[in-house]
Amino acid sequence: MVAAHSVDPKLHKVLVEQVPRVGRLERVESVEREMTSLVRAYLEAKRDEIAVRDLDLGAFIVVGIVEALTHAAVLTRPDLLGEPFVREVSAAVIRYLKG
């Protein structure tokens, strides 16, 4: 997700601002549903290794954490994007999942 969002931070910012205005928000929501479904499947496969019991909620939260932090970095601090950022976001997600 980080790599996809950080390809062109300036373009990403324009898209985030304009997509809702031009009526393509349903496509963005569709992609988010697909990501959430993939994360949920992954959590199901790792069910014995995580503390989260409600996998639908857990997948929603994981996608939300990654999306929110990545969007914030791309839009306001693209200089933070890189391996340390990925490590820290991953660590936050793992801490959430492990309880």
Side-chain angles (χ1 to χ4, degrees):
M1 283 190 223
V2 173
H5 284 83
S6 60
V7 169
D8 186 341
K10 289 179 184 175
L11 175 62
H12 184 84
K13 185 173 184 174
V14 170
L15 291 173
V16 167
E17 293 169 350
Q18 297 302 318
V19 163
R21 293 184 187 150
V22 297
R24 300 294 296 170
L25 193 55
E26 67 277 353
R27 177 66 182 136
V28 171
E29 291 168 347
S30 172
V31 169
E32 283 196 14
R33 281 192 303 274
E34 190 173 323
M35 284 189 299
T36 302
S37 177
L38 290 170
V39 169
R40 196 214 183 277
Y42 180 81
L43 296 180
E44 180 68 44
K46 301 292 185 179
R47 184 180 281 278
D48 295 339
E49 301 173 38
I50 61 176
V52 172
R53 292 294 145 226
D54 184 336
L55 300 184
D56 290 326
L57 178 59
F60 176 82
I61 288 172
V62 167
V63 170
I65 289 169
V66 175
E67 281 288 307
L69 290 172
T70 303
H71 278 290
V74 167
L75 298 177
T76 64
R77 292 290 307 274
D79 59 298
L80 294 178
L81 295 168
E83 189 57 36
F85 178 82
V86 172
R87 273 196 315 271
E88 291 300 318
V89 172
S90 298
V93 168
I94 290 167
R95 282 191 295 273
Y96 163 69
L97 292 173
K98 294 288 186 172

